[in-house]
Amino acid sequence: FSAACCVVACCLTIIISPSLSAPFLEVGLIILLFKYYDINMEPVLSSSVPPQYNSQSIINTAEETLQTSGVSAAQTVYKSALLEWVDDVTMGDTIDKESVKGEIANLWLAYADLNRRSNLFKSATEVYEQAINCPVGGEVGKIWMEYVHFLEERGRPRTAQKLYLRALVEGNDGDGPSVKDVADQNLLWNEFLRMMQSLRKN
């Protein structure tokens, strides 16, 4: 009965039976997490971003397009850039995934935000789902975090809880957590416990 199984059991107990989620479960969960992930807080040095992968340039273009040609045209700006950049990373052999992962994540989040600001909430949900299933963006914790906050705002806490488990326990590929970075994992676990405590109070 591994530490990973204990983590899953604690999470499911909290989700299925909130009345049983006494403080000792949260303490036990935190202890298991440290054992499971063997947390190492050494800083990770990021690679330099190639100049052609400047997310802010694409975001600026999308905003200008939104003002001149409308939401649909702005959406196309994001779709085209994401398709090209993700293909460059996954299909090519010259681009380092780590060097552009953050820029691709920025595009996914800006794309989702465009739909949210336009009150296209179904489209925003679809963008978030595409982002967390993206072979590049799906590893970035801030995408999962923003998606969870969006679900909470939309009054879907149970779906948000399941999303945390997808990010932190069993990912999309069945190969452990989708989010690999330890610092991102810590932030997501802290947010998960915060949400569970908030739900109990309500």
Side-chain angles (χ1 to χ4, degrees):
F1 192 67
S2 66
C5 292
C6 291
V7 170
V8 176
C10 287
C11 292
L12 291 177
T13 300
I14 293 172
I15 291 173
I16 297 171
S17 303
S19 61
L20 298 178
S21 57
F24 76 87
L25 276 178
E26 295 177 4
V27 174
L29 181 57
I30 292 171
I31 293 172
L32 287 168
L33 293 177
F34 276 85
K35 289 183 178 179
Y36 181 52
Y37 289 114
D38 190 21
I39 292 176
N40 180 355
M41 296 307 292
E42 293 181 2
V44 178
L45 299 177
S46 59
S47 306
S48 58
V49 179
Q52 66 269 35
Y53 300 102
N54 184 330
S55 60
Q56 191 57 53
S57 175
I58 300 299
I59 293 170
N60 292 341
T61 299
E63 287 300 311
E64 293 171 2
T65 303
L66 175 64
Q67 298 302 319
T68 59
S69 304
V71 175
S72 180
Q75 290 172 325
T76 300
V77 172
Y78 285 116
K79 289 177 185 177
S80 299
L82 284 164
L83 180 62
E84 180 181 345
W85 290 13
V86 172
D87 277 352
D88 286 349
V89 174
T90 58
M91 305 297 289
D93 55 5
T94 60
I95 302 299
D96 175 38
K97 178 180 178 180
E98 295 302 315
S99 68
V100 297
K101 184 162 61 175
E103 298 300 303
I104 289 175
N106 290 341
L107 287 189
W108 280 119
L109 292 175
Y111 183 17
D113 182 63
L114 167 70
N115 288 286
R116 292 174 66 171
R117 287 185 287 123
S118 303
N119 294 322
L120 300 174
F121 300 118
K122 182 179 179 181
S123 295
T125 301
E126 292 171 352
V127 171
Y128 281 125
E129 282 293 328
Q130 291 169 16
I132 63 175
N133 285 290
C134 170
V136 182
E139 295 182 2
V140 181
K142 65 181 179 180
I143 289 180
W144 293 83
M145 184 81 76
E146 289 292 330
Y147 189 10
V148 165
H149 289 166
F150 171 71
L151 291 172
E152 288 186 90
E153 291 173 6
R154 302 297 295 166
R156 300 172 62 189
R158 296 299 178 192
T159 304
Q161 290 167 1
K162 294 175 183 178
L163 193 66
Y164 274 122
L165 296 184
R166 286 172 62 188
L168 293 165
V169 179
E170 192 63 40
N172 300 316
D173 56 6
D175 186 28
S178 290
V179 176
K180 310 297 184 185
D181 182 76
V182 171
D184 282 354
Q185 290 171 354
N186 290 338
L187 289 173
L188 287 169
W189 277 115
N190 287 336
E191 283 294 300
F192 176 71
L193 293 177
R194 174 202 58 79
M195 183 176 66
M196 297 309 303
Q197 291 169 345
S198 176
L199 288 174
R200 273 211 316 277
K201 291 178 182 178
N202 296 332

